Amino acid sequence: GIRGIYMATHINGRNLDDKEFWPVYARCEERGLPLLLPSVNPVGADRMRSYHLRNFIGNPTDTAIAAASLIFSGALDAFPKLDVVLPHAGGVVPILIGRWDHGATVRPEVKDLKNPPSRYLRRFHYDTVAHSGPVLMNLARQVGVDRIVTGTDFPADMSVVDPVGTVEGLTELSAGERDLILRGNAARLLKLEG
């Protein structure tokens, strides 16, 4: 009855491009299990001890490191049917994608990437834990409504208290699009349809 795999944005400080994790990706792809990537012990936590910056900045940044590791390592090309869910509405991935696209044209470290990084944005699913309607609307425009699933971050203190209200507040979207975010996309992703 398992519907998805919980795997942190790094494993004991090792990024997700580590080839030791690729058998996990292969098995998830083979079984049709999405990989859900919560942030745990984010990078730079030693510099973010004050003001809860570890969560405010660290978690969304760690999400981007995980996504970048999967993109630039070629893991998403190696496992074309692997579904990956990014928390925090993709963290800082959506605002960094132009920088990554440019970098892929000028940096030798990523010269073998098959596609521009922006082509991989729709390979991910994104939760709605952005705490901002305008940020979620930008995400919907950038990746498509069909790639967004409702999230809560429950029981953390940074959780979304009213996840349904958050989605229903996206009045620029049609009722059908909001329903996709509330139910349809997750049902498809977790194979709960029918």
Side-chain angles (χ1 to χ4, degrees), residues 21-102:
F21 305 135
W22 287 39
V24 174
Y25 308 148
R27 182 59 61 97
C28 287
E29 181 182 59
E30 173 191 323
R31 302 271 173 121
L33 297 171
L35 199 58
L36 301 107
L37 302 180
S39 301
V40 177
N41 298 321
V43 67
D46 57 318
R47 290 188 53 213
M48 295 185 285
R49 286 185 220 117
S50 301
Y51 318 113
H52 205 51
L53 296 181
R54 178 182 170 146
N55 186 299
F56 297 168
I57 297 170
N59 286 352
T61 300
D62 231 51
T63 297
I65 293 169
S69 296
L70 292 170
I71 291 171
F72 290 117
S73 69
L76 295 181
D77 292 319
F79 306 101
K81 293 181 182 173
L82 178 66
D83 285 310
V84 179
V85 182
L86 299 178
H88 314 113
V92 296
V93 171
I95 63 170
L96 291 178
I97 202 64
R99 186 174 182 84
W100 294 358
D101 276 354
H102 175 72

